[in-house]
Amino acid sequence: MIGDGDSVPDGDVQLGEADLLALYRDMVLLRTYDERSIVYHRQGRIGTYAIFWNHEAMQAGSVHALSDEDWIFPSYRESAIGLLRGMPAATVLSWWRGHPAGWWNPADYNVASICVPIGTHVPHAAGLAWGKRLRGENACAIAYFGDGATSEGAFHEGANFAAVMNAPLILLCNNNQWAISTPVSAQTRAEALVDKAAGYGIPGVRVDGLDVLAVYEATREAVERARGGGGPTFIEALSYRAAPHATADDPKAYIDLERVEEERARECVGRYEGYLKRAGVLTDEQAEQIRAEAADVMRAGIAAAEAEPPADIGLVFEHAYGDPPPGLAEDLAELRRILGGSSG
Ligand SMILES: Cc1ncc(C[n+]2csc(CCOP(=O)(O)OP(=O)(O)O)c2C)c(N)n1
Ligand SMILES: [Mg+2]
C-alpha cells in the first residue's frame, strides 16, 4: 500500500485523516517506547529487554483494525502493545523491571499477559475466541507470535483447534526471519509460512510487515471474516529482524549485517511518515509534536515505575505453590536474612 515516493505509487486507502494520524501516533509511541527502553536497560533501570524496533507497523496496523472488545494475546515481542489500549507506560516498564506493578488485570484492557514461552498463548487465544462465539458475543481474538513459534506444538494445537471450532481468531505471525540465531530456512521446508494456513483449511495472507497500511487492511479483512462466522485467518507479516533479538543478544555472530543496514534504512515509521507527508496529512511540526508527546509519556512512565515501592520478596514464593512444600518457609526466611531484613 505504501509506495516509495518514486517509481512505486501509493495504493488507495480507505482510512480518513484522523485514522491515518492515529496510526502514526501509535507507531511513534511504540518506537519511542522501544528506543527509550534500550537506554533504560543500559542505565540498569529495566532488566533484559526484547527489542521490537521495526515491528511497530505490524503491531499498530493490526491493533487499529480491532475494536476495544477484541482480545489481544501478545508475545514478549509485543510487550508494549497494551499502550495502544490505554495501558500506562509505567505498567509495561514495571513488567520489564520484574515488579508486580507490571502485572495488569487482562480484563481491564482485553490484553492478555505477555507470553514468554513460545507459542503457548495460541491455544489460550483460540479458547477465548471460541468462548466468545459460544456466548454469541461479537468479539474476536488476535494472537501474535514469531516465525519460530510455527514449529511449536502449541501453535499447531491452537491453530487447528480454532479452525475446527470455527473460532473468531486472527493468527498474526511476525516473520522477522529469525528465532534468536535460527534462520527461518532452518525452521521449515515450507516456501512461505503462510502456506501452513492451507493445512488448517483456513485463509492465509502474506503482507509486507513494514507497511502499516497493508497490515491494517489484512487484519481488517480477517476481523470481518471472524465476526461474520468465517473462522480464523493466518496473517504472515514479513520483515527481517533489524535489531538484536534482545538486549542480551549479540547478532554479529550469525546475522547478515549488510542486510540489517538495508532494513534499517527502509524502517517502517519513516516509510509511513513519508507516505503521510506525500498525502499532505502530516507536517514536520506535527511530527515533531507527536514525537515530543511520546517522549513525555516515557519520561513520566519511567518516573512512575521507579516510584513504586520495592515489592516484598515473599511474593516470589507465594505465587509459586498452592500448597508450599516443606522447607520453603525456611528458604524464604533465609533469603530475608541475606537481604538484611529489607523488603528486597
Ligand atoms: C517453549 C520455549 N522454548 C524456547 C524458548 C527460548 N526462546 C526465547 S525467544 C526464542 C525464539 C523465538 O523466535 P520467534 O518465534 O521467531 O519470535 P521472535 O523472537 O523472532 O519474535 C526462543 C527459542 C522459549 N522462550 N519458550
Ligand atoms: Mg522470529
Side-chain angles (χ1 to χ4, degrees), residues 288-333:
E288 187 47 51
Q289 196 195 335
I290 289 168
R291 280 194 291 267
E293 281 165 12
D296 284 346
V297 166
M298 289 308 293
R299 262 190 292 276
I302 194 72
E306 289 180 331
E308 286 288 341
D312 186 85
I313 196 70
L315 271 178
V316 173
F317 293 70
E318 276 166 28
H319 289 277
Y321 296 97
D323 191 10
L328 204 67
E330 244 173 71
D331 291 346
L332 175 56

Side-chain angles (χ1 to χ4, degrees), residues 160-179:
N160 194 56
F161 183 82
V164 168
M165 305 315 279
N166 211 31
L169 178 68
I170 294 116
L171 296 154
L172 200 145
C173 178
N174 115 52
N175 179 5
N176 59 14
Q177 305 192 47
W178 291 94

Side-chain angles (χ1 to χ4, degrees), residues 50-51 55 75-78 115-120 145-150 152 173-182 187 241 245:
I51 304 157
H55 290 70
S75 82
Y76 52 82
R77 191 69 68 205
E78 294 81 27
C115 189
V116 177
I118 305 301
T120 57
F145 52 89
D147 41 298
T150 61
E152 287 284 342
C173 178
N174 115 52
N175 179 5
N176 59 14
Q177 305 192 47
W178 291 94
I180 313 183
S181 57
T182 303
Q187 201 71 250
R241 213 188 66 215
H245 167 75

Side-chain angles (χ1 to χ4, degrees), residues 99-222:
H99 192 283
W103 273 262
W104 61 88
N105 178 355
D108 287 348
Y109 304 99
N110 292 349
V111 177
S113 302
I114 298 164
C115 189
V116 177
I118 305 301
T120 57
H121 56 315
V122 179
H124 302 164
L128 184 128
W130 181 43
K132 292 288 178 193
R133 198 169 107 81
L134 288 177
R135 288 180 173 187
E137 292 178 27
N138 206 22
C140 57
I142 185 167
Y144 294 87
F145 52 89
D147 41 298
T150 61
S151 304
E152 287 284 342
F155 159 74
H156 165 68
E157 289 162 22
N160 194 56
F161 183 82
V164 168
M165 305 315 279
N166 211 31
L169 178 68
I170 294 116
L171 296 154
L172 200 145
C173 178
N174 115 52
N175 179 5
N176 59 14
Q177 305 192 47
W178 291 94
I180 313 183
S181 57
T182 303
V184 71
S185 58
Q187 201 71 250
T188 180
R189 256 184 85 160
E191 227 169 82
L193 292 176
V194 69
D195 292 346
K196 290 178 186 258
Y200 300 108
I202 62 175
V205 55
R206 191 185 217 203
V207 291
D208 179 348
L210 305 186
D211 182 336
V212 67
L213 299 175
V215 176
Y216 165 76
E217 191 51 31
T219 315
R220 194 190 59 72
E221 280 175 19

Side-chain angles (χ1 to χ4, degrees), residues 66-88:
L66 305 175
S67 303
D68 284 349
E69 80 255 22
D70 298 327
W71 273 70
I72 295 172
F73 287 76
S75 82
Y76 52 82
R77 191 69 68 205
E78 294 81 27
S79 66
I81 208 160
L83 299 183
L84 310 187
R85 281 276 174 86
M87 188 183 291

Side-chain angles (χ1 to χ4, degrees), residues 264-277:
R264 292 186 77 88
R266 53 183 220 104
E267 56 79 28
C268 66
V269 180
R271 248 179 100 186
Y272 187 47
E273 200 171 302
Y275 167 86
L276 291 175
K277 286 183 179 167

